[in-house]
Amino acid sequence: MRSMRGPCHLARLALAALLGWPCWATTAGASAGDDRTLAELTPAWWIESATSAQVDSVIATRGARIVDLEVVHVNPTLFTAAFVANAGVYARTWWWDFGINLLGVVSRLSARHARLTNIERYVDPATGTISYAAVMVLNEGDAAKQWWFSPGVSDPGVVLAQHKARPVDIESYVENGVPRYDVVMLANTGSDSTGWWRLTNVSRSDLDAFTEANTARIVNLQLRDATFGRFDALLVANSGPAAVHWWWYFPVTPSQIAPRLAQNGARVVDFEVYYQAGAQTTYAIALVNDSNPLTTRVADALTYGSDGSTGAYLKRVGGPVLASLQPTFVFEPASTIKTLPLLYAMRQVMSGRDGLDSMLTYSVNYSGTCPVGGAPYVTMTLRQTLQYMMQFSDNAATLALMQRYGVSVLNAMAANVVGMTHTRIRHTPIGCFPQLANNPNWMTLEDIGLLFEGEVNGTLLDAPTRETCWGLMINESSGAFGFTDDLRTLVYQEAQAMGLAAVAPAYWAQVRLTWKPGSYWLGASRFDSEAGWVRLPTWTGTAYGSQDYVFGVFIHGALDPGARISLAAMELFRDVVHTDLSNFPTAAPELPVAIAVATLEPNAPNPFNPSTALSFTLPAPGSVRLSIHDLRGRLVRLLADGPAEAGRNVVTWDGLDAAGAGVASGTYVARLEACGRAVTRKLALVR
């Protein structure tokens, strides 16, 4: 048989359609990959039970093309479809058709010089009419491939062996009681060459075992038995540099698909529709990773959604989003929501409607972490109350601020001023049952990113107010714990690995940050989050500069969060830290003067009994306040409140409270307020 340019000749394909013979075609040209094996990143979409007009709307408005299609209803004809952007390596001249017979498919292939990528056979139950929906692409130029289409065959293995081909789509059905298959094949040569397998009538567990043993991934599924979960499947090799993350799910309902796509940062490669009892639409579905390398590594650190829903976000201020996993997922932020009353208070201070030295009197009577009202009471300045809320995460201080301003006002600011459309304070006091269980608070990573970016760029706070605001939060001067310590560890690790260990101290001295963590248990489920701002130093080759970033990470409803938040936050910044360090000078003009901050050294001895020395250093003479607090943030003893000299100062705490009575064994917090910032250290007293 002679070689032909383009698809099978019309007469031959018509005869093949009628008699079930294989049809073949060959073309010359560079291969551009096929839709089921391509895994490059692309915008992707998914639409369910849609009319043809709705499918066409996605195509027209989003510049999309179909990569998998199922007819899910006849009269009217409704479709479920997966799309990719028709751009880059996915760019094709392409067509889709429905409501045509097999000869209509043949005619269009011939007229368009096209090849099939997807074929779907469906029957009108009222009339018995057999129709086809088909997706095809131009088979010329760089996209040209050697391919075959064999409709109505009884054994796909025969035609696959005959052509030494790899299947890309197999449509199975029963005709007159006999199993039949429509088979679309590609020559498994050149850049299209890959290891592949076709499994028939296998269970879910056998399919999982096969993919693991052979390092393979699923690219096409046919459901043989929904009750017992048995499948025919096409698989390709998934090893070496081209290996990608992928997933498959069965059974999955329509409402479960979008969350899985978002949680995995994935797109649909193939799906199979079937119906459970009661005609409920259900799917078997195969997904492939569609996230950039940074997002993928962070998702690995979070173990995706294996335990609780997870998300991560990194954005360059005034620039692009660098990592994004579930940025619009509404999670319970725990104490991270306290950024709202802080921002509102600072906007009030900025406008002159409130003052940091104004006084608040409120209850510090607790039941666990929940403020319940009544004696004892404390009187503090607004500044101190904000510090207690942000640095100690004190729920009584938070409640006092929410009562001072009103929850509805805080929510209105979030939505209308900041643009945090999916963030709401829905219960007070924070951390109290049953309010927490019945009305969890809401936040998204995009929302909290807007808040911090608005503070950085001056749209929410002017520069002096912003500096004061961030001085009330956990920052680079607040001691080595949490994200502050994680980022410092990352800087030193990367510098060591790059042979730049000597650069790390100078680099870290220029880092600035502020952040707010949140966490609590709700029954057996844990909710963790942290979000903030980071400024990293840069070197242009002639001068020092800086770049600002906003970030966030969450784990929502986990049984065991472990260290995933910490690992993910570090991974978010690995690439930018690595790049900045690689450009940072080892011998350059004098480093810029580091931000003038006070430092509080670890106390010695620690643990202690009966006394310990607290040493702090000031960059210049100034006023300081050094105090001791319990873990609820309540003042135990004021050790210093007034002027102090520049340089190192030493104060001793003798383990007594303000009334001169010895305090009980336990952990306490030393707090230094100086240079517009607050620094804390934990102390352990052992009687």
Side-chain angles (χ1 to χ4, degrees), residues 359-388:
M359 305 303 295
L360 288 80
T361 298
Y362 58 91
S363 168
V364 290
N365 187 28
Y366 282 89
S367 174
T369 61
C370 178
V372 294
Y377 294 89
V378 298
T379 298
M380 288 188 175
T381 64
L382 176 61
R383 180 192 303 274
Q384 291 170 320
T385 305
L386 291 169
Q387 288 174 330
Y388 272 55

Side-chain angles (χ1 to χ4, degrees), residues 165-230:
R166 170 169 62 85
V168 295
D169 189 30
I170 297 181
E171 175 75 358
S172 62
Y173 52 94
V174 176
E175 188 173 64
N176 298 323
V178 178
R180 295 288 183 184
Y181 303 87
D182 296 339
V183 185
V184 181
M185 299 162 277
L186 286 179
N188 197 36
T189 58
S191 62
D192 283 326
S193 177
T194 182
W196 69 275
W197 302 266
R198 176 175 176 257
L199 305 182
T200 59
N201 198 25
V202 294
S203 68
R204 177 177 181 170
S205 59
D206 288 343
L207 187 49
D208 284 337
F210 187 92
T211 60
E212 182 174 355
N214 292 277
T215 320
R217 68 179 176 95
I218 297 168
V219 293
N220 184 248
L221 284 166
Q222 291 288 317
L223 186 64
R224 282 215 176 191
D225 188 325
T227 302
F228 296 100
R230 302 194 71 83

Side-chain angles (χ1 to χ4, degrees), residues 315-319 533-538 545-549 580:
K315 184 181 185 299
R316 185 181 300 145
V317 171
W533 156 82
V534 173
R535 175 171 292 163
L536 297 177
T538 59
S546 63
Q547 180 62 60
D548 293 320
Y549 302 88
D580 289 341

Side-chain angles (χ1 to χ4, degrees), residues 365-446:
N365 187 28
Y366 282 89
S367 174
T369 61
C370 178
V372 294
Y377 294 89
V378 298
T379 298
M380 288 188 175
T381 64
L382 176 61
R383 180 192 303 274
Q384 291 170 320
T385 305
L386 291 169
Q387 288 174 330
Y388 272 55
M389 176 178 69
M390 299 309 292
Q391 295 193 2
F392 294 113
S393 213
D394 185 88
N395 288 336
T398 304
L399 178 60
L401 291 163
M402 290 184 176
Q403 292 173 337
R404 183 180 184 87
Y405 300 121
V407 169
S408 62
V409 172
L410 300 178
N411 285 334
M413 176 202 68
N416 302 325
V417 178
V418 186
M420 303 172 76
T421 54
H422 296 95
T423 296
R424 293 290 184 276
I425 300 170
R426 302 178 67 236
H427 74 263
T428 57
I430 297 290
C432 288
F433 293 89
Q435 298 95 320
L436 167 60
N438 295 337
N439 293 292
N441 292 323
W442 294 345
M443 182 176 281
T444 69
L445 293 175
E446 281 189 352

